[in-house]
């Protein structure tokens, strides 16, 4: 976007350097034209902002729990890893054996819910490799070792820590008494620091081992089954209003049965809270949806304690018996549904019940006689079957409201920000007078810049919104800028949007299933993403009420949708033929029946393309985004016609238009999402957003006639001669956004401005007659758009300064690519 009045006052490189150093240049005050005006109305009463407005969402994805927030240093401590968790797993994954050892699953086990154990022959040892590069220890710190063991004739266990450089601690010897299972402990003190440690347990005699554990003594809040300190402290630093847990896809995927003999010891189950409380050695194991094992050492009790420790409201999510995340099945079993409903009532009792109640007593035995003050609970997560979901949701809600009328039961609207599932779910939620609806979406930065007004038109008396999962697709500062711009709209609509949380929270850099993520870590360090710094700035400067304000926008010139055309597939083999592109005047721009060669097409994606029987065929059913493109990026106002046939694979086919380059295009995704729906997606700098979607599938072996009509910024789509749908992509990606709030405790006006463009924004600010002090406390986040924080470089960090020219009317220049909070004291 261009603006003739904009003047760049400070080069980006110099600006980023000065801001990183905390040397924020004073905004220029010389007379001259301003680019924007911002007018505040302090006498008007805006929406009240709840203390719980912003929170965090913790899901065990990207090894966020085991190997992450859960402080246990031993991987696969209970020998429960199995191929159902991950095809590469065995019960000895992360262990090496010196001598003879075997993992057994028989009547000699520790307990029924801890199915496997290790039998170690006399004179043998096992060594654990920990997470990432190994077991992390720090010089002078103590580490608590424990193991459950039994030996018919007794044995001595020698416990040692070492790396390639030798011993890391003095070895400890533990005498195992003859007889049954018992827990044994030792303490190791690290003689030096290492991130590549190995824990070895050697046995003098034959012995059975289970729950081999090594815990740092120094954990968050010093819990015996505690949390990794640096990661928990990053949550605490956000001052979250709530903690949503445990999922996510963990909640509504897999079997809804329990972990018992009656169910055949189901391993791939939905997350069920009763599996995760009580002594850790008696907790169930589970196959994590994201492709690994979860031990449940970090369970519901620990989640509740974390929420309490950081001063947040606990917000658990329970299964609705409708699977999602690509599984899409409604469980039809009335007895099972009633059991889950009762489990939900028991959960509330566990959280809030007196110590004289069954589950309140269990909480007390775990060490917390006081209640956790649970006020909100969510049923389900991203269900794609809204009718089936809401029928079950109503049963949960009725049971909870009958016994616990003060507990709010939250519903959801599926996995997307729009489309038929979203619309149906919302209508059903409105009809059922649901109190709050959870929305989820992951979109491009452009989408977030375009949709700041999303909640302006929501019904003010209908269900409230919980924005439980959102993020723009990346961890660069430009992503944080777009999210910040969007958050000004969330605050402006705080009467509708009551809760909001970025997702996901954590990612171990060596075990990543999802990007982007708020906090990155390995076994020895953690670092804040640019997005984290944005969330922290908003979460620690919320204010108590919105002060109505208005701002001018950015003049922009928006031309027609322009670009070449493309063909692609996703985990599917497909054939294309008779591609024709004609201009609006009927002139032929491209014609290819593939009777000769494919020289007109440039292969920019993966997969394997070849000419077969006069068709252009992509044959790799594993490859994702196999794009080939043809034509001129300057083309506009044209018709694209072709024939497309699915040959085999999981999905359908992708027809692209408006193709600028590999990261910027539109495509019609026919038979996407495991062949369950079709949609038009727009990619901007590699991040995709859905513009229109409908349920539907593609048949294998059938030739479809596809027609895309592009006129200006309007697109109409035809399938087999019938209009399928259309859209107009004309929303401006406004880079200048703002909101003003008031802090009741301090009386401060908090002016929050996002300038997501590569030019400074000289802004005339009118405080509407408010009497204010002349000095303002300023916090600024500014960096190059592509700046990314890493373990070794923090390029995006807040800088604080003081601005001394505040008045009823004043001018402030907001730096290019910046987020600025001005805290102005009212007199």
């Amino acid at each position: 976007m261009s603006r003739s009045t904009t003047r760049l006052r400070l080069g980006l490189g110099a600006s980023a350097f000065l801001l990183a150093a905390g040397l924020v240049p004073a905004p220029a005050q010389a007379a001259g034209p301003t680019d924007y005006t911002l007018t505040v109305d302090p006498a008007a009463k805006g929406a009240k902002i709840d203390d719980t407005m912003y929170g965090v969402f913790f899901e065990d994805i990207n090894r966020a729990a085991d190997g992450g927030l859960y402080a246990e240093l031993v991987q696969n401590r209970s020998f429960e890893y199995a191929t159902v968790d991950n095809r590469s797993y065995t019960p000895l994954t992360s262990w090496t054996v010196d001598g003879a050892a075997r993992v057994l699953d028989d009547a000699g086990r520790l307990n029924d819910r801890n199915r496997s154990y290790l039998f170690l022959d006399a004179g043998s040892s096992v060594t654990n490799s920990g997470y990432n590069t190994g077991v992390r220890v720090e010089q002078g710190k103590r580490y608590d070792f424990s193991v459950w063991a039994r030996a018919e004739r007794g044995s001595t266990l020698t416990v040692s820590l070492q790396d390639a450089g030798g011993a890391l601690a003095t070895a400890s010897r533990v005498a195992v008494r003859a007889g049954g299972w018992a827990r044994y402990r030792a303490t190791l003190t690290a003689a030096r620091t290492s991130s590549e440690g190995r824990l070895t347990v050697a046995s003098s005699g034959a012995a059975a081992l289970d729950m081999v554990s090594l815990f740092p003594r120094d954990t968050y809040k010093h819990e015996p089954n505690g949390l990794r300190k640096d990661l928990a402290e990053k949550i605490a630093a956000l001052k979250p209003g709530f903690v949503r847990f445990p999922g996510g896809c963990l909640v509504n995927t897999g079997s809804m049965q329990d972990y018992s003999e009656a169910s055949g010891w189901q391993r791939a189950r939905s997350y069920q809270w009763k599996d995760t409380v009580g002594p850790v050695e008696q907790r169930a194991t589970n196959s994590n949806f994201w492709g690994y094992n979860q031990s449940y050492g970090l369970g519901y009790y620990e989640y509740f304690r974390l929420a309490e420790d950081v001063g947040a409201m606990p917000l658990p999510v329970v299964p609705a018996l409708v699977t999602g995340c690509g599984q899409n099945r409604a469980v039809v079993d009335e007895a099972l549904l009633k059991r889950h409903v009762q489990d939900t009532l028991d959960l509330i009792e566990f959280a809030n019940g007196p110590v004289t109640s069954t589950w309140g007593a269990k909480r007390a035995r775990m060490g917390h006689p006081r209640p956790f003050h649970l006020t909100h609970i969510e049923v389900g997560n991203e269900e794609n079957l809204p009718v089936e979901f809401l029928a079950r949701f109503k049963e949960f809600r009725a049971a909870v409201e009958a016994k616990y009328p003060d507990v709010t039961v939250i519903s959801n609207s599926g996995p997307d920000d729009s489309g038929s599932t979203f619309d149906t779910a919302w209508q059903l939620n409105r009809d059922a007078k649901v109190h709050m609806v959870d929305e989820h979406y992951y979109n491009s930065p452009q989408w977030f810049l375009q949709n700041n007004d999303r909640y302006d038109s929501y019904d003010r008396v209908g269900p409230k919104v919980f924005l439980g999962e959102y993020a723009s697709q990346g961890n660069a500062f430009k992503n944080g800028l777009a999210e910040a711009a969007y958050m000004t709209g969330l605050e402006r609509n705080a009467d509708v949007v009551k809760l909001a949380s970025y997702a996901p929270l954590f990612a171990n850099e060596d075990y990543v299933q999802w990007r982007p993520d708020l906090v990155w870590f390995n076994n020895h360090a953690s670092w804040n993403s640019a997005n984290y710094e944005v969330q922290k700035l908003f979460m620690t400067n919320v204010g108590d009420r919105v002060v109505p304000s208005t701002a001018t926008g950015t003049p922009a010139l928006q031309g027609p949708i322009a670009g070449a055309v493309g063909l692609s597939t996703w985990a599917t083999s497909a054939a294309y033929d008779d591609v024709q592109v004609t201009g609006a005047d009927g002139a032929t721009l491209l014609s290819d029946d593939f009777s000769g060669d494919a020289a007109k097409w440039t292969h920019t994606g993966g997969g394997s393309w070849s000419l077969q029987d006069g068709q252009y065929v992509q044959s790799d059913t594993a490859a994702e985004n196999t794009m080939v493109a043809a034509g001129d990026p300057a083309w506009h106002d044209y018709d694209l016609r072709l024939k497309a046939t699915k040959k085999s694979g999981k999905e359908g086919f992708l027809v692209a238009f408006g193709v600028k380059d590999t990261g910027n295009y539109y495509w019609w995704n026919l038979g996407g999402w495991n062949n369950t729906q079709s949609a038009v997606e727009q990619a901007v700098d590699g991040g995709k957003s859905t513009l229109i979607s409908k349920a539907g599938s593609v048949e294998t072996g059938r030739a479809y006639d596809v027609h895309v009509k592009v006129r200006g910024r309007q697109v109409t789509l035809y399938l087999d001669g019938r209009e399928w749908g259309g859209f107009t992509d004309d929303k401006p990606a406004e880079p200048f956004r703002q909101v003003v709030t008031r802090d009741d405790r301090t009386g401060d006006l908090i002016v929050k401005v996002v300038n997501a463009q590569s030019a400074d924004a000289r802004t005339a600010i009118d405080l509407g007659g408010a009497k204010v002090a002349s000095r303002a406390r300023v916090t600024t986040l500014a960096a190059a758009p592509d700046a990314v924080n890493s373990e070794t470089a923090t390029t995006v960090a807040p800088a604080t300064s003081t601005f001394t020219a505040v008045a009823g009317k004043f001018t402030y220049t907001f730096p290019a690519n910046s987020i600025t909070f001005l805290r102005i004291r009212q007199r």
Side-chain angles (χ1 to χ4, degrees), residues 565-680:
V565 298
L567 313 171
S568 189
T569 59
W570 197 283
T572 301
S573 173
Y576 293 93
D577 203 358
D578 297 330
V579 178
Q580 298 282 334
V581 182
T582 54
D585 59 0
T588 298
L589 302 176
L590 173 70
S591 179
D592 201 338
D593 63 3
F594 302 109
S595 59
D597 57 32
K600 298 174 183 177
W601 300 85
T602 300
H603 187 186
T604 59
S608 177
W609 289 88
S610 62
L611 293 176
Q612 298 178 22
D613 301 322
Q615 296 180 312
Y616 202 20
V617 178
Q618 197 294 114
S619 56
D620 187 342
T621 57
E624 299 177 346
N625 191 2
T626 63
M627 178 87 78
V628 291
D632 188 337
W635 280 352
H636 60 85
D637 296 291
Y638 57 76
D639 289 81
L640 166 62
R641 294 178 172 87
L642 56 85
K643 294 184 183 298
T645 305
K646 173 182 176 178
K647 295 174 72 69
S648 62
K650 296 179 180 179
E651 304 204 347
F653 35 81
L654 297 153
V655 176
F657 55 97
V659 178
K660 292 289 190 184
D661 52 45
T662 56
N664 296 275
Y665 54 85
Y666 301 79
W667 67 20
W668 189 3
N669 186 349
L670 286 149
W673 295 270
N674 288 321
N675 206 15
T676 61
Q677 60 179 308
S678 297
V680 176

Side-chain angles (χ1 to χ4, degrees), residues 560-561 637 709-716 726-730:
I561 292 175
D637 296 291
K709 180 179 180 180
V710 182
R711 295 293 185 273
R713 300 202 67 80
Q714 183 175 349
V715 177
T716 310
F727 65 93
T728 302
D729 181 21
D730 60 356

Side-chain angles (χ1 to χ4, degrees), residues 224-359:
N225 187 48
L227 307 181
R228 179 170 151 175
K229 193 172 184 179
D230 62 325
L231 297 183
E233 286 176 342
K234 289 188 182 301
I235 298 175
L238 293 170
K239 300 188 184 304
F242 65 88
V243 177
R244 176 179 179 247
F245 59 88
C249 289
L250 304 188
V251 168
N252 67 337
T253 53
S255 169
M256 298 293 165
Q257 300 290 339
D258 62 1
Y259 193 56
S260 67
E261 185 176 9
S263 68
W265 304 106
Q266 291 271 2
R267 280 291 293 270
R269 308 182 313 284
S270 63
Y271 196 112
Q272 299 173 47
W273 79 271
K274 288 181 179 177
D275 287 343
T276 78
V277 296
V280 292
E281 69 274 8
Q282 295 176 16
R283 299 183 189 182
T285 189
N286 204 1
S287 174
N288 184 294
F289 173 81
W290 298 107
Y292 51 90
N293 177 274
Q294 56 190 137
S295 72
Y296 286 149
L298 177 57
Y300 257 70
Y301 177 76
E302 288 76 25
Y303 287 129
F304 278 124
R305 287 300 300 263
L306 171 64
E308 181 179 69
D309 286 342
V310 301
M313 174 182 80
L315 205 166
V317 187
V318 298
L321 275 72
V322 179
T323 60
C325 300
Q327 297 183 357
N328 302 337
R329 296 189 305 273
V331 178
V332 182
D333 185 329
E334 193 63 29
L336 187 58
L337 176 61
K338 287 181 178 178
R339 194 267 286 175
H340 275 268
V341 170
Q342 184 59 50
D343 281 354
T344 301
L345 297 176
D346 293 344
L347 171 59
I348 299 172
E349 182 177 287
F350 177 77
N352 294 349
V355 295
T356 54
S357 66
T358 300
W359 289 100

Side-chain angles (χ1 to χ4, degrees), residues 41-381:
D41 186 358
K45 195 172 184 179
K48 181 182 182 300
I49 306 174
D50 294 345
D51 292 339
T52 52
M53 174 74 181
Y54 295 122
V56 296
F57 165 47
F58 181 91
E59 178 176 7
D60 189 359
I61 184 174
N62 309 314
R63 292 276 192 183
D66 296 329
L69 183 62
Y70 187 49
E72 174 65 75
L73 297 173
V74 176
Q75 184 174 178
N76 190 18
R77 68 182 178 185
S78 194
F79 309 100
E80 298 288 340
Y81 278 27
T83 54
V84 67
D85 308 326
N86 187 297
R87 281 180 291 182
S88 69
Y89 280 0
T90 74
L92 283 171
T93 292
S94 79
W95 293 94
T96 55
V97 177
D98 184 4
R102 54 201 179 278
V103 175
L104 302 177
D105 178 1
D106 60 22
R109 62 178 63 88
L110 178 60
N111 59 66
D112 279 347
R113 291 164 70 79
N114 200 323
R115 307 292 295 170
S116 300
Y117 65 97
L118 181 77
F119 190 84
L120 194 60
D121 283 2
S124 299
S125 66
V126 285
T127 297
N128 191 267
S129 57
Y131 295 94
N132 300 94
T133 55
V135 175
R136 165 70 174 185
V137 294
E138 295 181 47
Q139 183 176 358
K141 291 193 174 181
R142 292 184 293 174
Y143 297 84
D144 293 325
F145 169 83
S146 66
V147 63
W148 284 81
R150 64 173 171 81
E152 290 185 9
R153 297 181 176 84
S155 179
T156 297
L157 302 180
T158 301
V159 183
S160 58
L161 267 173
Q162 64 283 325
D163 64 7
L168 291 169
T170 301
S172 182
R173 287 175 173 77
V174 177
V176 178
R177 299 181 299 274
W181 288 102
R183 191 180 186 194
Y184 300 90
R185 296 177 173 87
T187 299
L188 302 176
T189 301
R192 54 189 176 84
T193 296
S194 176
S195 298
E196 300 175 350
R198 299 292 186 267
L199 175 73
T200 297
V201 181
S203 182
S204 64
L209 307 180
D210 208 344
M211 297 295 291
V212 182
S213 173
L214 188 68
F215 246 89
R217 181 74 58 86
D218 187 18
T219 59
Y220 185 68
K221 299 292 184 180
H222 307 288
E223 294 288 334
N225 187 48
L227 307 181
R228 179 170 151 175
K229 193 172 184 179
D230 62 325
L231 297 183
E233 286 176 342
K234 289 188 182 301
I235 298 175
L238 293 170
K239 300 188 184 304
F242 65 88
V243 177
R244 176 179 179 247
F245 59 88
C249 289
L250 304 188
V251 168
N252 67 337
T253 53
S255 169
M256 298 293 165
Q257 300 290 339
D258 62 1
Y259 193 56
S260 67
E261 185 176 9
S263 68
W265 304 106
Q266 291 271 2
R267 280 291 293 270
R269 308 182 313 284
S270 63
Y271 196 112
Q272 299 173 47
W273 79 271
K274 288 181 179 177
D275 287 343
T276 78
V277 296
V280 292
E281 69 274 8
Q282 295 176 16
R283 299 183 189 182
T285 189
N286 204 1
S287 174
N288 184 294
F289 173 81
W290 298 107
Y292 51 90
N293 177 274
Q294 56 190 137
S295 72
Y296 286 149
L298 177 57
Y300 257 70
Y301 177 76
E302 288 76 25
Y303 287 129
F304 278 124
R305 287 300 300 263
L306 171 64
E308 181 179 69
D309 286 342
V310 301
M313 174 182 80
L315 205 166
V317 187
V318 298
L321 275 72
V322 179
T323 60
C325 300
Q327 297 183 357
N328 302 337
R329 296 189 305 273
V331 178
V332 182
D333 185 329
E334 193 63 29
L336 187 58
L337 176 61
K338 287 181 178 178
R339 194 267 286 175
H340 275 268
V341 170
Q342 184 59 50
D343 281 354
T344 301
L345 297 176
D346 293 344
L347 171 59
I348 299 172
E349 182 177 287
F350 177 77
N352 294 349
V355 295
T356 54
S357 66
T358 300
W359 289 100
K362 190 173 186 72
R363 181 193 70 239
R365 287 194 299 272
M366 294 185 72
H368 201 280
R370 301 185 313 279
F372 285 116
H373 305 295
L374 175 68
T375 59
H376 291 67
I377 193 165
E378 183 173 356
V379 176
N381 170 78

Side-chain angles (χ1 to χ4, degrees), residues 388-411:
E388 294 85 344
F389 163 72
L390 207 76
R392 288 155 179 78
F393 171 86
K394 288 178 180 178
E395 296 202 37
F396 282 87
R397 183 179 65 172
V400 172
E401 289 182 345
K403 191 169 183 180
Y404 301 105
D406 294 334
V407 174
T408 298
V409 185
I410 302 172
S411 180

